[in-house]
Amino acid sequence: MKTTCIYSAETKIRTKFSRKNKLYDRYNFRVTSLQNLRDMAKAIFHDQKFKFKINFSFGAILRHVETGELRYFDTRQNSHEVLDEPLLIENSAGLVNFLDTLETSDPLEYARQLRPNSKWVVEMVSNVTFFVYKILNHPLGPVGDSLHDYIAGNQGIFFVDRLSVW
């Protein structure tokens, strides 16, 4: 009951985005199930126009085993990110690599590492924040592995590194 109150009252765990910034975007999502992390990452990929680096962090609610006190640990850029260094996303292959990394991450273990000591247990993983570092003037590569022959062979089409139609 107390967890639900903290979870719904804490403004930092609402789904929100800080995007359209010049160099850096931040996407915060509530975690309702760990299955939807892939969909979140794909949505971020489709929101980008340029190559980018990405990292992520989980927010969690911890409970003290003796006192029952609840404590929220929010996502922090540059201090509590899951990856040591952000992953470069240049095209759809980079996205697949990131999705594999995302799936192998363990949010509960990550939250356990946030504990001040062993008297705190993870009550729930509440949110995930993705940190997107844009690489301007470097368009994302093609979404698919290759272009159709009738498009690739058309001399009237000039290509950049990314398809305009998804």
Side-chain angles (χ1 to χ4, degrees):
M1 173 89 176
K2 248 183 166 181
T3 306
T4 306
C5 294
I6 286 179
Y7 185 67
S8 61
E10 179 61 55
T11 59
K12 292 184 187 218
I13 56 177
R14 292 186 181 148
T15 297
K16 63 182 178 181
F17 312 120
S18 170
R19 59 183 183 194
K20 308 299 181 207
N21 299 312
K22 188 170 183 172
L23 299 174
Y24 164 78
D25 287 337
R26 179 180 166 128
Y27 298 81
N28 190 56
F29 297 94
R30 279 188 175 192
V31 175
T32 54
S33 77
L34 299 179
Q35 316 304 347
N36 61 0
L37 291 177
R38 288 182 65 89
D39 294 334
M40 294 172 192
K42 287 179 184 178
I44 292 168
F45 177 78
H46 290 292
D47 198 35
Q48 304 306 308
K49 294 179 182 174
F50 300 107
K51 295 177 184 179
F52 61 96
K53 292 184 177 184
I54 189 168
N55 209 334
F56 60 103
S57 178
F58 293 101
I61 298 175
L62 304 179
R63 181 178 45 81
H64 194 277
V65 293
E66 293 175 354
T67 65
E69 175 188 356
L70 295 174
R71 183 183 289 182
Y72 173 67
F73 281 85
D74 67 346
T75 55
R76 298 273 182 195
Q77 179 186 8
N78 296 329
S79 63
H80 293 303
E81 293 174 329
V82 173
L83 305 175
D84 292 333
E85 292 193 14
L87 286 178
L88 177 64
I89 309 290
E90 299 180 281
N91 51 32
S92 58
L95 174 64
V96 169
N97 182 36
F98 178 69
L99 293 175
D100 291 343
T101 302
L102 191 61
E103 284 184 349
T104 59
S105 67
D106 185 354
L108 291 175
E109 181 56 32
Y110 174 82
R112 281 187 203 100
Q113 298 299 323
L114 296 174
R115 302 180 307 169
N117 58 48
S118 61
K119 292 188 178 187
W120 292 88
V121 295
V122 178
E123 188 73 15
M124 68 184 300
V125 175
S126 58
N127 62 301
V128 61
T129 301
F130 294 94
F131 305 100
V132 175
Y133 308 94
K134 300 175 184 180
I135 303 173
L136 300 179
N137 301 320
H138 294 276
L140 279 171
V143 176
D145 295 330
S146 63
L147 298 172
H148 293 286
D149 291 337
Y150 69 91
I151 294 175
N154 187 331
Q155 294 179 357
I157 299 176
F158 298 95
F159 297 98
V160 292
D161 291 331
R162 178 183 166 132
L163 290 175
S164 60
V165 180
W166 293 65

